[in-house]
Amino acid sequence: MQEEQHKNFKRILVGVDDSEDAQLAFRYAIREARSSDATLIIASILEHEEMNVYEALNKDYVHGKRDELIDHISKYRDLALRAGVKEVEMIIDEGEAGETIVKNVIPASDADLLIIGSLSKTGIRKYFGSQAAYMAKYSPISVMVVRE
């Protein structure tokens, strides 16, 4: 049996929200980025299903939510830098998480590995990890699903 060599990933994308699974994925992504000397790309998606129709139509409300998300994801960036990751980028997009990451974020980030948690904090939890399953199935790059 031929021994496979470990692929060194150069651009690691991690999807974050405040779920425990996402926190585990984030910590794993930090370790992987440090050991591979890779760029860590932290992504978060502003999901419209979390807003009612009036909020979604109110540009000031959406802009405010986006600003909150930027502030929040900046804290993840600072943690990664303090943990020893040399290069950290951030991406924020809007839409349904799994589809947006696969169709928009991965191509825009030029990532070669996606690390995600198996569940998320908000509406996705009711789908029992269907977002993670969607990303694993349709992602054009390698996907690591981190579980508790």
Side-chain angles (χ1 to χ4, degrees):
M1 190 168 169
Q2 203 176 35
E3 190 172 317
E4 291 183 33
Q5 64 186 69
H6 176 75
K7 179 176 179 177
N8 273 340
F9 296 102
K10 297 296 176 206
R11 296 184 56 79
I12 298 170
L13 173 63
V14 62
V16 297
D17 58 23
D18 289 330
S19 69
E20 287 181 35
D21 282 16
Q23 299 297 314
L24 284 171
F26 178 68
R27 288 193 297 273
Y28 186 89
I30 286 174
R31 287 193 302 271
E32 187 67 28
R34 268 195 326 234
S35 70
S36 299
D37 198 27
T39 298
L40 181 63
I41 305 142
I42 305 167
S44 196
I45 307 301
L46 181 60
E47 294 182 81
H48 295 293
E49 70 179 35
E50 297 173 11
M51 298 179 234
N52 69 42
V53 69
Y54 301 107
E55 292 168 340
L57 292 172
N58 180 336
K59 293 208 183 312
D60 291 335
Y61 181 85
V62 173
H63 186 71
K65 283 291 187 191
R66 192 176 180 89
D67 288 347
E68 285 175 29
L69 195 53
I70 290 168
D71 288 344
H72 194 64
I73 198 173
S74 294
K75 291 176 182 149
Y76 282 102
R77 182 181 153 275
D78 294 345
L79 282 170
L81 290 168
R82 283 199 308 268
V85 178
K86 292 179 185 158
E87 294 227 11
V88 182
E89 299 173 9
M90 301 183 309
I91 294 180
I92 293 174
D93 205 338
E94 295 178 27
E96 182 270 321
E99 189 174 345
T100 301
I101 287 173
V102 168
K103 293 182 178 175
N104 299 352
V105 176
I106 291 172
S109 69
D110 197 29
D112 52 8
L113 174 65
L114 170 62
I115 299 176
I116 52 172
S118 60
L119 297 171
S120 87
K121 179 183 168 210
T122 55
I124 297 169
R125 183 173 292 278
K126 67 185 171 211
Y127 300 121
F128 299 104
S130 67
Q131 296 299 307
Y134 178 91
M135 289 183 271
K137 182 174 182 178
Y138 293 107
S139 172
I141 61 174
S142 296
V143 177
M144 176 174 289
V145 180
V146 178
R147 300 186 184 281
E148 272 188 87

